[in-house]
Amino acid sequence: MTRETAPEQTGPTLRQKIVLAAAELLEEAGLEAVSTRAVAARAGVPTPSIFRIFGDKDGLLEEVAEHGFGRYLAAKAELLTGDDPVRVLREVWDLHIRFGVEHPAYYTLVYGQVRPGHMPQAGRRAVADLRGALVRVAAAGRLRMSVDLATEVMHSAGVGTILALTALPEDARDLRTADTVREMVVDTLTLPPPPDGAAAPGITVASSATTLAAALGRDGTSALTPGELTLLTEWLDRLADPTTTAG
Amino acid sequence: MTRETAPEQTGPTLRQKIVLAAAELLEEAGLEAVSTRAVAARAGVPTPSIFRIFGDKDGLLEEVAEHGFGRYLAAKAELLTGDDPVRVLREVWDLHIRFGVEHPAYYTLVYGQVRPGHMPQAGRRAVADLRGALVRVAAAGRLRMSVDLATEVMHSAGVGTILALTALPEDARDLRTADTVREMVVDTLTLPPPPDGAAAPGITVASSATTLAAALGRDGTSALTPGELTLLTEWLDRLADPTTTAG
DNA sequence: GTTGATCCGGTATCGACGGTATCACCGATA
DNA sequence: TATCGGTGATACCGTCGATACCGGATCAAC
């Protein structure tokens, strides 16, 4: 497989060497062991190289987070191709929980160092993927509320479940919590499948508004002006989330 | 109010002066502004005093967290005296959300700096109070699951909701998320009230045994073997009918 | 009144941290 | 051959958490 005489013998980039060294330190000894000096020593490069490449330490940690989330986000993207969107939702939840429990260092790096108004790129990508899964639920007419609200609710519950689990002593963690919260979330966000090809009594104002919004987002329309579309979208959001009342 | 000639003119303790200085710095400029030097300068004490009193910086932050959680925990304790435990549950949730949104510095200090297996004292006290509220729900016969599991579920959802909200840019925060999650949690954890005052004079061993037997007969379970289930049913019958005594 | 223990103010200092400045070198490009 | 961007290497800056050490103030016990 490896050609000794290959003309392209460059090997890992300097970036990659540094990110990998930082990732190893993070996994082996936790976040507080990741100092710029320790990373540089492990990567075999002088300390200033880190700042030349990543700007500052936060820039390095951003890329370390991307590195750690890579396999997780790829697996999640693969799940999204499933055909039953509610089933996919459960699989996304379980994948999320498993990743958080098995890689607490990466997870707490992204979601466990909360500063007001800030979230790493990897975290935003994960939320965007979750939103994609919920758009598909909405398109199937099985979402009870707006996609945005559902995304926030499911993301909040997922992050909280893992962080609360991680903060517990290792011998006190009860994985049933994750299962209970998953069913709670799925039951709250989704509608039961229509009983058959027939009339589908699960249709409500909220669910049909959500379905229409998803369809408009997916296919667009030329029947309305942009201004009309903006207003309609706002109305659909209000119809989708019944807790909102007209002012 | 202040008596000039008061014999007890001690004023605030050294501890209190330092904790207060650190708390002010935390609220005004965030966690990263709380350095031991800055705290010492603001409190008007030499730096080593901090370490003499609190051991290390974490010891100081522990007491700062206690200070910041003080009013919140006191208000929560007052709520717990309410008579409708499910209503109390909602009030506890709202109080929790309000505290997290209004005091993100204290909240993220306690719940937003996740290290595996670690939680500040103030956080553990808050969880214990939540558990107390759920014990009262269970005592009223309106809890669907064990107190421990319910505590974990509600705590996870609450922490996740506030942390996810805090991590959002300030203009993108949607407080409806908290309301949706609250109703989701309450619906999942609690049972509806008994249909009328007539049928529910009070929860007793007999009545709850009857309730459980009825539920088992209606829904079945896969948590017990058929043999275990047979034995349990017999015990429930004995508990439900006090005229029968054990041989 | 003297002694001793304890607490507190004050200074200096330590090692490690994030980050920067500066220079030499080396390979590609023109 | 001259130039220029990327890299290695060293020294350095200010700040951090934490400690050592000294001197003075207080208070109880003898």
Side-chain angles (χ1 to χ4, degrees), chain A residues 97 99-105 107-109 112 158-174, chain B residues 113-119 152 155-156:
Chain A
I97 296 290
F99 174 74
V101 169
E102 291 177 0
H103 303 96
Y107 196 86
T108 60
L109 175 63
V159 168
T161 301
I162 294 184
L163 291 186
L165 224 50
T166 304
L168 247 46
E170 204 156 346
D171 56 0
R173 293 174 194 163
D174 185 351
Chain B
Q113 312 297 318
V114 180
R115 284 176 294 175
H118 173 268
M119 186 185 294
E152 279 302 302
H155 174 241
S156 298

PDB file of all heavy atoms in Angstrom, chain A residues 97 99-105 107-109 112 158-174, chain B residues 113-119 152 155-156:
ATOM      1  N   ILE A  97     -25.014  10.689  23.058  1.00  0.00           N
ATOM      2  CA  ILE A  97     -24.742  10.268  24.433  1.00  0.00           C
ATOM      3  C   ILE A  97     -23.489   9.410  24.496  1.00  0.00           C
ATOM      4  O   ILE A  97     -22.616   9.612  25.353  1.00  0.00           O
ATOM      5  CB  ILE A  97     -25.947   9.482  24.997  1.00  0.00           C
ATOM      6  CG1 ILE A  97     -27.173  10.389  25.075  1.00  0.00           C
ATOM      7  CG2 ILE A  97     -25.601   8.892  26.360  1.00  0.00           C
ATOM      8  CD1 ILE A  97     -27.092  11.465  26.112  1.00  0.00           C
ATOM      9  N   PHE A  99     -20.949   9.328  22.475  1.00  0.00           N
ATOM     10  CA  PHE A  99     -19.748  10.140  22.258  1.00  0.00           C
ATOM     11  C   PHE A  99     -19.384  10.929  23.517  1.00  0.00           C
ATOM     12  O   PHE A  99     -18.225  10.975  23.922  1.00  0.00           O
ATOM     13  CB  PHE A  99     -19.964  11.090  21.088  1.00  0.00           C
ATOM     14  CG  PHE A  99     -18.827  12.053  20.887  1.00  0.00           C
ATOM     15  CD1 PHE A  99     -17.620  11.622  20.357  1.00  0.00           C
ATOM     16  CD2 PHE A  99     -18.955  13.379  21.256  1.00  0.00           C
ATOM     17  CE1 PHE A  99     -16.566  12.495  20.192  1.00  0.00           C
ATOM     18  CE2 PHE A  99     -17.901  14.265  21.093  1.00  0.00           C
ATOM     19  CZ  PHE A  99     -16.708  13.813  20.563  1.00  0.00           C
ATOM     20  N   GLY A 100     -20.374  11.533  24.136  1.00  0.00           N
ATOM     21  CA  GLY A 100     -20.096  12.331  25.324  1.00  0.00           C
ATOM     22  C   GLY A 100     -19.546  11.513  26.474  1.00  0.00           C
ATOM     23  O   GLY A 100     -18.639  11.948  27.180  1.00  0.00           O
ATOM     24  N   VAL A 101     -20.080  10.308  26.647  1.00  0.00           N
ATOM     25  CA  VAL A 101     -19.638   9.474  27.758  1.00  0.00           C
ATOM     26  C   VAL A 101     -18.256   8.882  27.488  1.00  0.00           C
ATOM     27  O   VAL A 101     -17.426   8.768  28.394  1.00  0.00           O
ATOM     28  CB  VAL A 101     -20.669   8.357  28.020  1.00  0.00           C
ATOM     29  CG1 VAL A 101     -20.116   7.326  28.984  1.00  0.00           C
ATOM     30  CG2 VAL A 101     -21.958   8.955  28.557  1.00  0.00           C
ATOM     31  N   GLU A 102     -17.999   8.554  26.227  1.00  0.00           N
ATOM     32  CA  GLU A 102     -16.727   7.896  25.911  1.00  0.00           C
ATOM     33  C   GLU A 102     -15.591   8.893  25.703  1.00  0.00           C
ATOM     34  O   GLU A 102     -14.420   8.516  25.807  1.00  0.00           O
ATOM     35  CB  GLU A 102     -16.893   7.024  24.659  1.00  0.00           C
ATOM     36  CG  GLU A 102     -17.776   5.804  24.898  1.00  0.00           C
ATOM     37  CD  GLU A 102     -17.991   5.000  23.616  1.00  0.00           C
ATOM     38  OE1 GLU A 102     -17.463   5.397  22.563  1.00  0.00           O
ATOM     39  OE2 GLU A 102     -18.718   3.983  23.688  1.00  0.00           O
ATOM     40  N   HIS A 103     -15.928  10.112  25.365  1.00  0.00           N
ATOM     41  CA  HIS A 103     -14.880  11.112  25.136  1.00  0.00           C
ATOM     42  C   HIS A 103     -15.189  12.389  25.918  1.00  0.00           C
ATOM     43  O   HIS A 103     -15.390  13.454  25.325  1.00  0.00           O
ATOM     44  CB  HIS A 103     -14.762  11.423  23.645  1.00  0.00           C
ATOM     45  CG  HIS A 103     -14.486  10.231  22.796  1.00  0.00           C
ATOM     46  ND1 HIS A 103     -15.468   9.531  22.152  1.00  0.00           N
ATOM     47  CD2 HIS A 103     -13.331   9.567  22.510  1.00  0.00           C
ATOM     48  CE1 HIS A 103     -14.933   8.520  21.479  1.00  0.00           C
ATOM     49  NE2 HIS A 103     -13.641   8.508  21.684  1.00  0.00           N
ATOM     50  N   PRO A 104     -15.207  12.279  27.237  1.00  0.00           N
ATOM     51  CA  PRO A 104     -15.569  13.452  28.044  1.00  0.00           C
ATOM     52  C   PRO A 104     -14.598  14.611  27.851  1.00  0.00           C
ATOM     53  O   PRO A 104     -14.996  15.772  27.985  1.00  0.00           O
ATOM     54  CB  PRO A 104     -15.530  12.928  29.477  1.00  0.00           C
ATOM     55  CG  PRO A 104     -14.639  11.735  29.427  1.00  0.00           C
ATOM     56  CD  PRO A 104     -14.835  11.133  28.068  1.00  0.00           C
ATOM     57  N   ALA A 105     -13.344  14.335  27.535  1.00  0.00           N
ATOM     58  CA  ALA A 105     -12.385  15.434  27.369  1.00  0.00           C
ATOM     59  C   ALA A 105     -12.786  16.316  26.193  1.00  0.00           C
ATOM     60  O   ALA A 105     -12.849  17.546  26.317  1.00  0.00           O
ATOM     61  CB  ALA A 105     -10.976  14.871  27.154  1.00  0.00           C
ATOM     62  N   TYR A 107     -15.735  16.403  24.773  1.00  0.00           N
ATOM     63  CA  TYR A 107     -17.076  16.944  24.955  1.00  0.00           C
ATOM     64  C   TYR A 107     -17.079  18.160  25.879  1.00  0.00           C
ATOM     65  O   TYR A 107     -17.684  19.184  25.575  1.00  0.00           O
ATOM     66  CB  TYR A 107     -18.011  15.863  25.506  1.00  0.00           C
ATOM     67  CG  TYR A 107     -19.458  16.242  25.341  1.00  0.00           C
ATOM     68  CD1 TYR A 107     -20.144  15.969  24.173  1.00  0.00           C
ATOM     69  CD2 TYR A 107     -20.138  16.936  26.339  1.00  0.00           C
ATOM     70  CE1 TYR A 107     -21.457  16.349  23.994  1.00  0.00           C
ATOM     71  CE2 TYR A 107     -21.449  17.322  26.172  1.00  0.00           C
ATOM     72  CZ  TYR A 107     -22.099  17.026  25.006  1.00  0.00           C
ATOM     73  OH  TYR A 107     -23.400  17.424  24.836  1.00  0.00           O
ATOM     74  N   THR A 108     -16.388  18.035  26.999  1.00  0.00           N
ATOM     75  CA  THR A 108     -16.363  19.175  27.920  1.00  0.00           C
ATOM     76  C   THR A 108     -15.554  20.326  27.341  1.00  0.00           C
ATOM     77  O   THR A 108     -15.771  21.478  27.700  1.00  0.00           O
ATOM     78  CB  THR A 108     -15.782  18.770  29.281  1.00  0.00           C
ATOM     79  OG1 THR A 108     -14.453  18.288  29.094  1.00  0.00           O
ATOM     80  CG2 THR A 108     -16.632  17.699  29.925  1.00  0.00           C
ATOM     81  N   LEU A 109     -14.618  20.028  26.456  1.00  0.00           N
ATOM     82  CA  LEU A 109     -13.882  21.113  25.803  1.00  0.00           C
ATOM     83  C   LEU A 109     -14.833  21.983  24.993  1.00  0.00           C
ATOM     84  O   LEU A 109     -14.710  23.212  24.949  1.00  0.00           O
ATOM     85  CB  LEU A 109     -12.797  20.527  24.888  1.00  0.00           C
ATOM     86  CG  LEU A 109     -12.010  21.518  24.026  1.00  0.00           C
ATOM     87  CD1 LEU A 109     -11.222  22.485  24.891  1.00  0.00           C
ATOM     88  CD2 LEU A 109     -11.088  20.794  23.063  1.00  0.00           C
ATOM     89  N   GLY A 112     -18.546  22.140  27.773  1.00  0.00           N
ATOM     90  CA  GLY A 112     -18.418  22.230  29.225  1.00  0.00           C
ATOM     91  C   GLY A 112     -17.627  23.423  29.713  1.00  0.00           C
ATOM     92  O   GLY A 112     -17.401  23.561  30.911  1.00  0.00           O
ATOM     93  N   GLY A 158     -29.869  17.288  25.570  1.00  0.00           N
ATOM     94  CA  GLY A 158     -28.721  16.420  25.308  1.00  0.00           C
ATOM     95  C   GLY A 158     -27.473  16.900  26.013  1.00  0.00           C
ATOM     96  O   GLY A 158     -26.781  16.128  26.692  1.00  0.00           O
ATOM     97  N   VAL A 159     -27.180  18.182  25.887  1.00  0.00           N
ATOM     98  CA  VAL A 159     -26.001  18.734  26.546  1.00  0.00           C
ATOM     99  C   VAL A 159     -26.107  18.570  28.055  1.00  0.00           C
ATOM    100  O   VAL A 159     -25.162  18.147  28.720  1.00  0.00           O
ATOM    101  CB  VAL A 159     -25.829  20.216  26.162  1.00  0.00           C
ATOM    102  CG1 VAL A 159     -24.795  20.876  27.054  1.00  0.00           C
ATOM    103  CG2 VAL A 159     -25.418  20.342  24.709  1.00  0.00           C
ATOM    104  N   GLY A 160     -27.277  18.905  28.596  1.00  0.00           N
ATOM    105  CA  GLY A 160     -27.444  18.799  30.038  1.00  0.00           C
ATOM    106  C   GLY A 160     -27.290  17.377  30.533  1.00  0.00           C
ATOM    107  O   GLY A 160     -26.690  17.139  31.580  1.00  0.00           O
ATOM    108  N   THR A 161     -27.828  16.443  29.793  1.00  0.00           N
ATOM    109  CA  THR A 161     -27.736  15.048  30.225  1.00  0.00           C
ATOM    110  C   THR A 161     -26.281  14.597  30.323  1.00  0.00           C
ATOM    111  O   THR A 161     -25.866  14.000  31.316  1.00  0.00           O
ATOM    112  CB  THR A 161     -28.500  14.145  29.249  1.00  0.00           C
ATOM    113  OG1 THR A 161     -29.861  14.554  29.205  1.00  0.00           O
ATOM    114  CG2 THR A 161     -28.408  12.696  29.678  1.00  0.00           C
ATOM    115  N   ILE A 162     -25.499  14.897  29.309  1.00  0.00           N
ATOM    116  CA  ILE A 162     -24.110  14.442  29.321  1.00  0.00           C
ATOM    117  C   ILE A 162     -23.290  15.201  30.346  1.00  0.00           C
ATOM    118  O   ILE A 162     -22.480  14.607  31.067  1.00  0.00           O
ATOM    119  CB  ILE A 162     -23.494  14.577  27.921  1.00  0.00           C
ATOM    120  CG1 ILE A 162     -24.193  13.621  26.968  1.00  0.00           C
ATOM    121  CG2 ILE A 162     -22.009  14.301  27.961  1.00  0.00           C
ATOM    122  CD1 ILE A 162     -23.603  13.615  25.599  1.00  0.00           C
ATOM    123  N   LEU A 163     -23.485  16.502  30.427  1.00  0.00           N
ATOM    124  CA  LEU A 163     -22.695  17.267  31.391  1.00  0.00           C
ATOM    125  C   LEU A 163     -23.032  16.846  32.821  1.00  0.00           C
ATOM    126  O   LEU A 163     -22.144  16.712  33.663  1.00  0.00           O
ATOM    127  CB  LEU A 163     -22.919  18.766  31.201  1.00  0.00           C
ATOM    128  CG  LEU A 163     -22.342  19.357  29.919  1.00  0.00           C
ATOM    129  CD1 LEU A 163     -22.498  20.867  29.907  1.00  0.00           C
ATOM    130  CD2 LEU A 163     -20.882  18.978  29.739  1.00  0.00           C
ATOM    131  N   ALA A 164     -24.314  16.641  33.096  1.00  0.00           N
ATOM    132  CA  ALA A 164     -24.690  16.211  34.440  1.00  0.00           C
ATOM    133  C   ALA A 164     -24.133  14.821  34.730  1.00  0.00           C
ATOM    134  O   ALA A 164     -23.676  14.536  35.832  1.00  0.00           O
ATOM    135  CB  ALA A 164     -26.210  16.214  34.583  1.00  0.00           C
ATOM    136  N   LEU A 165     -24.140  13.985  33.723  1.00  0.00           N
ATOM    137  CA  LEU A 165     -23.594  12.636  33.883  1.00  0.00           C
ATOM    138  C   LEU A 165     -22.087  12.695  34.115  1.00  0.00           C
ATOM    139  O   LEU A 165     -21.532  11.983  34.962  1.00  0.00           O
ATOM    140  CB  LEU A 165     -23.901  11.822  32.622  1.00  0.00           C
ATOM    141  CG  LEU A 165     -24.396  10.394  32.767  1.00  0.00           C
ATOM    142  CD1 LEU A 165     -25.547  10.329  33.746  1.00  0.00           C
ATOM    143  CD2 LEU A 165     -24.818   9.836  31.416  1.00  0.00           C
ATOM    144  N   THR A 166     -21.411  13.569  33.368  1.00  0.00           N
ATOM    145  CA  THR A 166     -19.955  13.672  33.480  1.00  0.00           C
ATOM    146  C   THR A 166     -19.546  14.244  34.830  1.00  0.00           C
ATOM    147  O   THR A 166     -18.521  13.856  35.388  1.00  0.00           O
ATOM    148  CB  THR A 166     -19.409  14.574  32.357  1.00  0.00           C
ATOM    149  OG1 THR A 166     -19.824  14.052  31.095  1.00  0.00           O
ATOM    150  CG2 THR A 166     -17.893  14.616  32.400  1.00  0.00           C
ATOM    151  N   ALA A 167     -20.347  15.173  35.350  1.00  0.00           N
ATOM    152  CA  ALA A 167     -19.988  15.805  36.620  1.00  0.00           C
ATOM    153  C   ALA A 167     -20.173  14.853  37.793  1.00  0.00           C
ATOM    154  O   ALA A 167     -19.642  15.095  38.872  1.00  0.00           O
ATOM    155  CB  ALA A 167     -20.822  17.069  36.835  1.00  0.00           C
ATOM    156  N   LEU A 168     -20.929  13.781  37.577  1.00  0.00           N
ATOM    157  CA  LEU A 168     -21.138  12.804  38.649  1.00  0.00           C
ATOM    158  C   LEU A 168     -19.896  11.946  38.849  1.00  0.00           C
ATOM    159  O   LEU A 168     -19.140  11.703  37.903  1.00  0.00           O
ATOM    160  CB  LEU A 168     -22.318  11.900  38.277  1.00  0.00           C
ATOM    161  CG  LEU A 168     -23.592  12.000  39.111  1.00  0.00           C
ATOM    162  CD1 LEU A 168     -23.999  13.443  39.340  1.00  0.00           C
ATOM    163  CD2 LEU A 168     -24.714  11.242  38.429  1.00  0.00           C
ATOM    164  N   PRO A 169     -19.658  11.461  40.083  1.00  0.00           N
ATOM    165  CA  PRO A 169     -18.582  10.481  40.263  1.00  0.00           C
ATOM    166  C   PRO A 169     -18.846   9.262  39.381  1.00  0.00           C
ATOM    167  O   PRO A 169     -19.994   8.879  39.159  1.00  0.00           O
ATOM    168  CB  PRO A 169     -18.689  10.106  41.748  1.00  0.00           C
ATOM    169  CG  PRO A 169     -19.457  11.197  42.373  1.00  0.00           C
ATOM    170  CD  PRO A 169     -20.329  11.798  41.325  1.00  0.00           C
ATOM    171  N   GLU A 170     -17.776   8.679  38.900  1.00  0.00           N
ATOM    172  CA  GLU A 170     -17.917   7.648  37.865  1.00  0.00           C
ATOM    173  C   GLU A 170     -18.812   6.495  38.307  1.00  0.00           C
ATOM    174  O   GLU A 170     -19.542   5.915  37.498  1.00  0.00           O
ATOM    175  CB  GLU A 170     -16.526   7.120  37.471  1.00  0.00           C
ATOM    176  CG  GLU A 170     -16.482   6.533  36.086  1.00  0.00           C
ATOM    177  CD  GLU A 170     -15.067   6.564  35.524  1.00  0.00           C
ATOM    178  OE1 GLU A 170     -14.205   7.271  36.096  1.00  0.00           O
ATOM    179  OE2 GLU A 170     -14.815   5.876  34.532  1.00  0.00           O
ATOM    180  N   ASP A 171     -18.782   6.164  39.590  1.00  0.00           N
ATOM    181  CA  ASP A 171     -19.562   5.011  40.044  1.00  0.00           C
ATOM    182  C   ASP A 171     -21.020   5.368  40.339  1.00  0.00           C
ATOM    183  O   ASP A 171     -21.801   4.513  40.724  1.00  0.00           O
ATOM    184  CB  ASP A 171     -18.904   4.393  41.287  1.00  0.00           C
ATOM    185  CG  ASP A 171     -18.746   5.439  42.388  1.00  0.00           C
ATOM    186  OD1 ASP A 171     -19.146   6.593  42.173  1.00  0.00           O
ATOM    187  OD2 ASP A 171     -18.213   5.090  43.450  1.00  0.00           O
ATOM    188  N   ALA A 172     -21.364   6.643  40.182  1.00  0.00           N
ATOM    189  CA  ALA A 172     -22.744   7.060  40.472  1.00  0.00           C
ATOM    190  C   ALA A 172     -23.527   7.352  39.195  1.00  0.00           C
ATOM    191  O   ALA A 172     -24.667   7.763  39.266  1.00  0.00           O
ATOM    192  CB  ALA A 172     -22.745   8.290  41.378  1.00  0.00           C
ATOM    193  N   ARG A 173     -22.920   7.123  38.041  1.00  0.00           N
ATOM    194  CA  ARG A 173     -23.589   7.461  36.793  1.00  0.00           C
ATOM    195  C   ARG A 173     -24.599   6.386  36.428  1.00  0.00           C
ATOM    196  O   ARG A 173     -24.305   5.200  36.466  1.00  0.00           O
ATOM    197  CB  ARG A 173     -22.564   7.622  35.662  1.00  0.00           C
ATOM    198  CG  ARG A 173     -21.680   8.823  35.873  1.00  0.00           C
ATOM    199  CD  ARG A 173     -20.581   8.910  34.837  1.00  0.00           C
ATOM    200  NE  ARG A 173     -19.576   9.892  35.278  1.00  0.00           N
ATOM    201  CZ  ARG A 173     -18.353   9.971  34.783  1.00  0.00           C
ATOM    202  NH1 ARG A 173     -17.959   9.151  33.837  1.00  0.00           N
ATOM    203  NH2 ARG A 173     -17.525  10.876  35.239  1.00  0.00           N
ATOM    204  N   ASP A 174     -25.793   6.851  36.087  1.00  0.00           N
ATOM    205  CA  ASP A 174     -26.871   5.931  35.755  1.00  0.00           C
ATOM    206  C   ASP A 174     -27.309   6.217  34.317  1.00  0.00           C
ATOM    207  O   ASP A 174     -27.939   7.228  34.042  1.00  0.00           O
ATOM    208  CB  ASP A 174     -28.041   6.130  36.727  1.00  0.00           C
ATOM    209  CG  ASP A 174     -29.136   5.102  36.492  1.00  0.00           C
ATOM    210  OD1 ASP A 174     -29.056   4.362  35.486  1.00  0.00           O
ATOM    211  OD2 ASP A 174     -30.063   5.048  37.316  1.00  0.00           O
TER     212      ASP A 174
ATOM    213  N   GLN B 113     -18.278  24.839  34.352  1.00  0.00           N
ATOM    214  CA  GLN B 113     -16.851  24.474  34.286  1.00  0.00           C
ATOM    215  C   GLN B 113     -16.738  23.001  34.627  1.00  0.00           C
ATOM    216  O   GLN B 113     -16.298  22.623  35.701  1.00  0.00           O
ATOM    217  CB  GLN B 113     -16.014  25.317  35.254  1.00  0.00           C
ATOM    218  CG  GLN B 113     -16.280  26.807  35.182  1.00  0.00           C
ATOM    219  CD  GLN B 113     -15.931  27.394  33.829  1.00  0.00           C
ATOM    220  OE1 GLN B 113     -14.907  27.061  33.247  1.00  0.00           O
ATOM    221  NE2 GLN B 113     -16.799  28.249  33.319  1.00  0.00           N
ATOM    222  N   VAL B 114     -17.122  22.161  33.672  1.00  0.00           N
ATOM    223  CA  VAL B 114     -17.266  20.742  33.969  1.00  0.00           C
ATOM    224  C   VAL B 114     -15.914  20.040  33.947  1.00  0.00           C
ATOM    225  O   VAL B 114     -15.180  20.094  32.969  1.00  0.00           O
ATOM    226  CB  VAL B 114     -18.210  20.078  32.947  1.00  0.00           C
ATOM    227  CG1 VAL B 114     -18.347  18.608  33.251  1.00  0.00           C
ATOM    228  CG2 VAL B 114     -19.570  20.771  32.969  1.00  0.00           C
ATOM    229  N   ARG B 115     -15.605  19.430  35.058  1.00  0.00           N
ATOM    230  CA  ARG B 115     -14.479  18.492  35.105  1.00  0.00           C
ATOM    231  C   ARG B 115     -15.030  17.147  35.545  1.00  0.00           C
ATOM    232  O   ARG B 115     -15.846  17.093  36.486  1.00  0.00           O
ATOM    233  CB  ARG B 115     -13.424  18.972  36.110  1.00  0.00           C
ATOM    234  CG  ARG B 115     -12.584  20.118  35.598  1.00  0.00           C
ATOM    235  CD  ARG B 115     -11.647  20.599  36.683  1.00  0.00           C
ATOM    236  NE  ARG B 115     -12.376  21.188  37.813  1.00  0.00           N
ATOM    237  CZ  ARG B 115     -11.793  21.590  38.933  1.00  0.00           C
ATOM    238  NH1 ARG B 115     -10.489  21.444  39.068  1.00  0.00           N
ATOM    239  NH2 ARG B 115     -12.506  22.118  39.901  1.00  0.00           N
ATOM    240  N   PRO B 116     -14.632  16.067  34.875  1.00  0.00           N
ATOM    241  CA  PRO B 116     -15.204  14.748  35.197  1.00  0.00           C
ATOM    242  C   PRO B 116     -15.164  14.448  36.686  1.00  0.00           C
ATOM    243  O   PRO B 116     -14.118  14.553  37.332  1.00  0.00           O
ATOM    244  CB  PRO B 116     -14.299  13.788  34.410  1.00  0.00           C
ATOM    245  CG  PRO B 116     -13.861  14.587  33.227  1.00  0.00           C
ATOM    246  CD  PRO B 116     -13.718  15.995  33.734  1.00  0.00           C
ATOM    247  N   GLY B 117     -16.300  14.097  37.219  1.00  0.00           N
ATOM    248  CA  GLY B 117     -16.391  13.656  38.597  1.00  0.00           C
ATOM    249  C   GLY B 117     -16.335  14.762  39.634  1.00  0.00           C
ATOM    250  O   GLY B 117     -16.114  14.483  40.810  1.00  0.00           O
ATOM    251  N   HIS B 118     -16.559  15.989  39.238  1.00  0.00           N
ATOM    252  CA  HIS B 118     -16.438  17.082  40.205  1.00  0.00           C
ATOM    253  C   HIS B 118     -17.637  18.027  40.117  1.00  0.00           C
ATOM    254  O   HIS B 118     -18.066  18.384  39.026  1.00  0.00           O
ATOM    255  CB  HIS B 118     -15.148  17.871  39.955  1.00  0.00           C
ATOM    256  CG  HIS B 118     -15.030  19.104  40.797  1.00  0.00           C
ATOM    257  ND1 HIS B 118     -15.469  20.328  40.359  1.00  0.00           N
ATOM    258  CD2 HIS B 118     -14.556  19.299  42.043  1.00  0.00           C
ATOM    259  CE1 HIS B 118     -15.260  21.223  41.310  1.00  0.00           C
ATOM    260  NE2 HIS B 118     -14.708  20.628  42.340  1.00  0.00           N
ATOM    261  N   MET B 119     -18.144  18.420  41.273  1.00  0.00           N
ATOM    262  CA  MET B 119     -19.182  19.448  41.325  1.00  0.00           C
ATOM    263  C   MET B 119     -19.025  20.255  42.597  1.00  0.00           C
ATOM    264  O   MET B 119     -18.812  19.686  43.671  1.00  0.00           O
ATOM    265  CB  MET B 119     -20.584  18.819  41.284  1.00  0.00           C
ATOM    266  CG  MET B 119     -21.688  19.872  41.190  1.00  0.00           C
ATOM    267  SD  MET B 119     -23.341  19.175  41.272  1.00  0.00           S
ATOM    268  CE  MET B 119     -23.367  18.243  39.760  1.00  0.00           C
ATOM    269  N   GLU B 152     -32.262  13.206  38.512  1.00  0.00           N
ATOM    270  CA  GLU B 152     -31.256  13.295  37.453  1.00  0.00           C
ATOM    271  C   GLU B 152     -31.844  13.876  36.175  1.00  0.00           C
ATOM    272  O   GLU B 152     -31.222  14.710  35.507  1.00  0.00           O
ATOM    273  CB  GLU B 152     -30.663  11.905  37.181  1.00  0.00           C
ATOM    274  CG  GLU B 152     -29.592  11.494  38.173  1.00  0.00           C
ATOM    275  CD  GLU B 152     -28.446  12.497  38.202  1.00  0.00           C
ATOM    276  OE1 GLU B 152     -27.838  12.713  37.146  1.00  0.00           O
ATOM    277  OE2 GLU B 152     -28.177  13.065  39.278  1.00  0.00           O
ATOM    278  N   HIS B 155     -32.684  17.647  36.712  1.00  0.00           N
ATOM    279  CA  HIS B 155     -31.454  18.413  36.840  1.00  0.00           C
ATOM    280  C   HIS B 155     -30.735  18.513  35.498  1.00  0.00           C
ATOM    281  O   HIS B 155     -30.263  19.591  35.112  1.00  0.00           O
ATOM    282  CB  HIS B 155     -30.544  17.766  37.888  1.00  0.00           C
ATOM    283  CG  HIS B 155     -29.193  18.398  37.989  1.00  0.00           C
ATOM    284  ND1 HIS B 155     -28.035  17.712  37.749  1.00  0.00           N
ATOM    285  CD2 HIS B 155     -28.826  19.663  38.271  1.00  0.00           C
ATOM    286  CE1 HIS B 155     -27.003  18.536  37.882  1.00  0.00           C
ATOM    287  NE2 HIS B 155     -27.455  19.714  38.201  1.00  0.00           N
ATOM    288  N   SER B 156     -30.655  17.422  34.779  1.00  0.00           N
ATOM    289  CA  SER B 156     -29.995  17.445  33.471  1.00  0.00           C
ATOM    290  C   SER B 156     -30.679  18.430  32.542  1.00  0.00           C
ATOM    291  O   SER B 156     -30.025  19.246  31.878  1.00  0.00           O
ATOM    292  CB  SER B 156     -30.020  16.046  32.842  1.00  0.00           C
ATOM    293  OG  SER B 156     -29.315  15.126  33.638  1.00  0.00           O
TER     294      SER B 156
END
